[in-house]
């Protein structure tokens, strides 16, 4: 049972989702879409966490690997039995892409806790597309 449900454990002050995102971004050197594109060309891994529907409707980023958001931590934790060995590496920059750059900040901050060199794309897929960077359908 979780500490909050049992009445035990440490009490924490409530925060807003905006504060949560701000905290996540504090330790990130976020990349513009063009910077992310160049980093991928130099060997970084680009991970698209958008839903199947979003990718079907809007298209996909050329060169991105899709990892569903609900399994991201299991695939990227280098110590996890369910990791993806090509992605769960501490010797390679990992760039997370979501639709607008909010979920990706939270995800990248979590991956940094695993010891990964992780960041995200400012403005997400929408900014990538607006910048005219490569897509595939």
């Amino acid at each position: 049972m979780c500490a909050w449900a049992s009445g035990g454990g440490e009490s924490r002050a409530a925060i807003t989702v905006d504060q949560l995102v701000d905290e996540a971004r504090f330790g990130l050197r976020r990349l513009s879409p063009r910077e992310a594109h160049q980093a991928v060309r130099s060997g970084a891994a680009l991970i698209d966490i958008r839903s199947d529907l979003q990718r079907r409707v809007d298209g996909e980023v050329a060169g991105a690997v899709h990892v569903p958001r609900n399994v991201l931590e299991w695939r990227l934790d280098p110590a996890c039995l369910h990791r993806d060995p090509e992605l769960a590496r501490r010797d390679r920059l990992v760039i997370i892409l979501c639709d607008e750059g909010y979920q990706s900040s939270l995800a990248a901050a979590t991956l940094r806790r695993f010891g990964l060199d992780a960041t995200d794309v400012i403005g997400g897929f929408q900014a990538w597309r607006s910048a005219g960077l490569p897509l595939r359908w």
Side-chain angles (χ1 to χ4, degrees), residues 23 90 103-104 122:
E23 284 178 9
R90 292 188 176 107
Q103 287 183 41
S104 58
I122 299 166

Side-chain angles (χ1 to χ4, degrees), residues 92-109:
R92 183 181 189 193
L93 177 61
V94 174
I95 304 167
I96 306 298
L97 180 80
C98 70
D99 194 51
E100 294 183 342
Y102 295 95
Q103 287 183 41
S104 58
S105 293
L106 297 173

Side-chain angles (χ1 to χ4, degrees), residues 8-52:
E10 238 178 81
S11 163
R12 296 178 88 178
I15 64 172
T16 66
V17 70
D18 289 335
Q19 290 169 315
L20 185 65
V21 171
D22 287 345
E23 284 178 9
R25 288 178 175 168
F26 181 74
L28 301 178
R29 188 183 99 52
R30 302 181 74 216
L31 303 177
S32 72
R34 292 199 184 283
E35 290 171 324
H37 181 251
Q38 185 56 45
V40 171
R41 292 178 67 175
S42 297
L46 181 62
I47 300 174
D48 188 343
I49 62 172
R50 292 176 304 135
S51 70
D52 290 339

Side-chain angles (χ1 to χ4, degrees), residues 71-84 87-90 111 113-116:
V71 297
L72 183 71
E73 286 81 2
W74 287 266
R75 300 298 178 264
L76 275 289
D77 177 1
C80 183
L81 292 174
H82 304 287
R83 72 186 173 277
D84 179 324
L87 301 175
R89 296 172 36 190
R90 292 188 176 107
L111 298 181
R113 295 188 69 189
F114 295 157
L116 299 180

